Amino acid sequence: MSLASAVVSVAPAAPLGAGIPMPPAAAGKALRRQVSGPAAPRETRFFNWEKLWLGLLVLGLLAVLLVAIAMPVGTLLGRSFWTADGKFSGLSQYWAYVRMPGVGQSLFNSLWLAALSSTLCVALAYGYAYGVVRSCMPLAKWFRAVALVPLLAPSLLMAISLIYLFGTQGLLKAWLMGGTAYGPLGIVAGSVLWTFPHALLMLCTTLASGDARLYEAAATLGAGRWRSFFQVTLPASRYGLMIAWIVVFVLVITDFGVPKVIGGNTQMLATDIYKQVIGQQNLSMGAVVAMLLLVPAGLAFVAERHLRAKQAATMAVRAVPLQPQPHAPLDRALLLYCSLVALVLVVVMGTAVLASLVTFWPYNLSLSLKNYQFDMMDGGGWASYGNSLMLAAATAVLGALLSFLSAYLVAKPTGWARARQWLHAMATLPMAVPGLALGLGYILFFNAASNPLHFLYGSLGILVLCTVAHFFSVAHITPLTALQQLDAEYERVADSMGVPFWTLLWRVHLPVCLPAVMQVAGYFFVNAMTTVSAVVFLYSPETTLASVAVLAMDDAGDIAPAAAMATLIFATAAAGRLLIAGLDAWMQKRTQHWRQR
């Protein structure tokens, strides 16, 4: 999963807090439609049945998450201690992997390339976020929207564009002065480009929460803009900067697409897993590499949670919102900077789109749709695209329902406290598990002949389940944030009137959280269309996906059709996101009248 994606989905849930408190009178009126007459204590028998059903829901969903998340990860860990012929090996396989030629280089490359990419990305995104949030430059909203567009595209699209621009036959190859884009340079450039919007979202949120009193005090003491920036703005942003750096670091070190497409011969841990599983069919050694990849991801997850808690503790209760003041020289400089960054993003993404529409890059640039004849290429043809559509739609529906149910069971019931704690822990676990590791765990767990769920292996169902599990943490946190903002008075009123929890859930909690649920559905749809790492080990000849087809075409040397499929994924993700947004607006008009005054 990715950590990066947490900010993407949680951000839309924030406005719910302002409009969530449904008037108690309205809530009581809605509840009295079900139960009339004076309030009376519940009968013991009814209360026991309700508690039983609640317990069944908690335990049932906990069992689902155990099967979808914990057991595959546990199986992955166990397999790393067993050889391919079924003999217990202890740590010998770890030692054997460490002694392999090039392993130290893979680890070193993964760490330093991820660190460099994170530093560059966060530095660039901070300046861009400052211009969007803290300046009075024109078109700030437009610049923000342009910078977030890459969220809808797979990371492969950026790597393919860089090949067209700086590859062997790239238009701008001369800019490299004899260097090559295949290797560390290409990995860093591609990683910075596709992770830029993730860092931008977090840093925009950080900079949007400035306290005007601090800047007024600094101005009173004679501090200029630069001194206020270095002594007020930067210190106040330090936790946001560190969180953004950690999130981008995890995204880069666990990414598979960019190193695979433009990494050349540069060894990375993520590509080592792919080589062990696909190239050598050595699942045991692949499990070892996956467990090693879990270490930096897990440590980064713990550090991110710690920093986020400290960031929340520094928020002032009586803070005065900061309003940016015009400053012509600074606004012009930031406008120029944001224009250059936005231009780079548009050119890079536009290059892949253009390359997919020309006859033969770069010699014959006449427009043609021959690159979209996917049935003539490797990767499964148009059937792969159809499978991705079905996967995205099923993941959006199932993921939105399960994540809302898990958030409700964690936030609102009062019984089954220990089980609900385990449910929350299980729901947040995927944040620390890279997609490649989770996908390999699914192979080892579901492909076991003794597993009664073995029938799922090779079907579209296992792809849906794995994709939901991979992105479940962010989706769980989004409605959880909305539900935790609801006053407990709703539950007390329902309890005094004898209204069962399922009625309160249907008539109050779901309508209040409907905007967050629709945002989660859009989040699942986009990620299901663009994901590669979680599903690259799980597809069968009948269930190939569009994102995997991009890899297959690139391996076969069909770069233009790969760009065409990546472009189609981007267009479909954007269209699906707009469709879900339209459905959300329509449903809010029909169900959210109580928000209007």
Side-chain angles (χ1 to χ4, degrees):
M1 148 182 192
S2 74
L3 288 168
S5 306
V7 181
V8 178
S9 294
V10 173
L16 294 175
I20 277 178
M22 184 189 296
K29 182 177 180 181
L31 295 172
R32 281 193 291 273
R33 295 176 185 172
Q34 299 294 322
V35 180
S36 59
R42 307 183 192 210
E43 295 181 3
T44 303
R45 181 180 178 184
F46 181 78
F47 175 80
N48 288 340
W49 273 107
E50 183 177 348
K51 187 175 182 180
L52 175 63
W53 280 110
L54 186 63
L56 289 176
L57 277 176
V58 172
L59 296 177
L61 187 55
L62 183 59
V64 171
L65 295 185
L66 281 171
V67 171
I69 300 171
M71 288 185 178
V73 175
T75 305
L76 179 69
L77 174 62
R79 184 59 179 269
S80 67
F81 298 113
W82 294 81
T83 61
D85 54 0
K87 296 180 180 179
F88 180 74
S89 61
L91 296 177
S92 62
Q93 290 197 108
Y94 287 87
W95 180 242
Y97 176 72
V98 171
R99 295 175 61 186
M100 286 183 178
V103 169
Q105 191 65 42
S106 295
L107 179 60
F108 177 73
N109 288 340
S110 297
L111 292 176
W112 84 265
L113 288 175
L116 178 59
S117 300
S118 303
T119 303
L120 292 175
C121 179
V122 171
L124 293 171
Y126 189 78
Y128 199 96
Y130 192 91
V132 169
V133 176
R134 291 288 183 92
S135 76
C136 294
M137 70 176 190
L139 303 175
K141 292 183 178 180
W142 183 85
F143 280 113
R144 179 187 173 98
V146 169
L148 297 182
V149 168
L151 289 173
L152 302 174
S155 60
L156 302 169
L157 185 65
M158 294 299 187
I160 292 173
S161 295
L162 290 176
I163 291 176
Y164 278 111
L165 289 173
F166 301 102
T168 305
Q169 298 178 342
L171 291 179
L172 307 179
K173 180 185 177 181
W175 289 17
L176 299 181
M177 295 180 293
T180 177
Y182 296 97
L185 179 61
I187 293 175
V188 171
S191 299
V192 169
L193 287 169
W194 86 267
T195 57
F196 182 84
H198 299 270
L200 178 67
L201 277 173
M202 288 178 277
L203 294 175
C204 282
T205 303
T206 298
L207 291 171
S209 59
D211 189 348
R213 298 175 302 167
L214 298 177
Y215 294 89
E216 292 173 359
T220 302
L221 294 173
R225 282 185 172 268
W226 282 107
R227 189 172 181 182
S228 296
F229 174 80
F230 285 107
Q231 295 190 354
V232 179
T233 305
L234 274 180
S237 307
R238 63 187 184 277
Y239 290 123
L241 285 167
M242 287 187 286
I243 290 172
W245 192 93
I246 290 172
V247 168
V248 174
F249 179 86
V250 173
L251 285 175
V252 175
I253 201 172
T254 59
D255 179 55
F256 166 73
V258 171
K260 180 69 173 62
V261 172
I262 201 172
N265 295 323
T266 303
Q267 294 178 286
M268 303 278 286
L269 286 177
T271 53
D272 279 357
I273 299 176
Y274 185 80
K275 292 174 183 176
Q276 291 291 339
V277 176
I278 301 298
Q280 303 181 26
Q281 296 293 308
N282 191 342
L283 298 182
S284 296
M285 194 57 71
V288 170
V289 186
M291 293 308 301
L292 292 177
L293 192 61
L294 271 172
V295 174
L299 291 176
F301 170 71
V302 173
E304 189 268 346
R305 296 293 294 269
H306 174 70
L307 290 172
R308 194 173 293 279
K310 294 188 69 173
Q311 182 187 33
T314 61
M315 296 286 289
V317 177
R318 299 180 180 179
V320 177
L322 176 66
Q323 297 295 330
Q325 300 299 320
H327 188 262
L330 179 62
D331 292 342
R332 284 195 293 267
L334 289 172
L335 177 61
L336 177 61
Y337 172 75
C338 292
S339 299
L340 289 175
V341 174
L343 179 63
V344 170
L345 293 173
V346 170
V347 167
V348 171
M349 293 199 64
T351 299
V353 176
L354 177 62
S356 71
L357 294 172
V358 300
T359 303
F360 186 60
W361 182 282
Y363 305 107
N364 185 356
L365 298 182
S366 60
L367 297 181
S368 171
L369 293 177
K370 73 179 186 67
N371 293 322
Y372 287 83
Q373 297 176 359
F374 300 127
D375 289 331
M376 307 295 293
M377 315 291 177
D378 289 338
W382 279 99
S384 298
Y385 176 71
N387 290 334
S388 286
L389 279 180
M390 290 188 289
L391 170 67
T395 301
V397 174
L398 181 63
L401 292 176
L402 288 181
S403 59
F404 173 73
L405 182 59
S406 68
Y408 168 79
L409 293 174
V410 169
K412 287 306 176 184
T414 55
W416 302 89
R418 183 60 59 86
R420 287 165 47 230
Q421 291 175 359
W422 278 102
L423 180 63
H424 180 63
M426 200 64 58
T428 55
L429 177 62
M431 270 190 178
V433 181
L436 284 171
L438 184 64
L440 182 55
Y442 264 60
I443 292 180
L444 300 173
F445 178 67
F446 286 95
N447 197 31
S450 59
N451 191 337
L453 298 175
H454 175 72
F455 68 92
L456 286 174
Y457 189 76
S459 68
L460 192 64
I462 195 173
L463 295 174
V464 173
L465 186 62
C466 183
T467 306
V468 170
H470 185 206
F471 300 105
F472 193 80
S473 296
V474 172
H476 166 78
I477 292 172
T478 301
L480 180 64
T481 303
L483 287 166
Q484 287 175 336
Q485 293 172 337
L486 273 172
D487 198 311
E489 183 179 354
Y490 294 105
E491 285 74 32
R492 290 194 291 267
V493 170
D495 188 65
S496 67
M497 298 178 66
V499 177
F501 75 89
W502 52 80
T503 302
L504 184 66
L505 173 65
W506 179 255
R507 300 189 66 86
V508 177
H509 294 135
L510 182 58
V512 165
C513 295
L514 186 60
V517 173
M518 296 304 294
Q519 291 289 343
V520 166
Y523 165 78
F524 271 119
F525 184 90
V526 171
N527 282 285
M529 284 297 304
T530 59
T531 187
V532 178
S533 59
V535 297
V536 72
F537 297 142
L538 296 175
Y539 68 94
S540 67
E542 293 76 24
T543 59
T544 52
L545 300 175
S547 56
V548 178
V550 175
L551 281 178
M553 294 176 188
D554 178 72
D555 282 341
D558 297 326
I559 307 298
M565 183 65 85
T567 300
L568 189 60
I569 292 172
F570 165 69
T572 304
R577 196 65 186 85
L578 291 174
L579 179 62
I580 292 175
L583 181 62
D584 180 26
W586 178 79
M587 294 182 69
Q588 287 198 46
K589 286 183 179 180
R590 295 179 61 88
T591 63
Q592 306 290 306
H593 293 295
W594 56 272
R595 292 184 185 269
Q596 307 297 325
R597 291 188 177 181

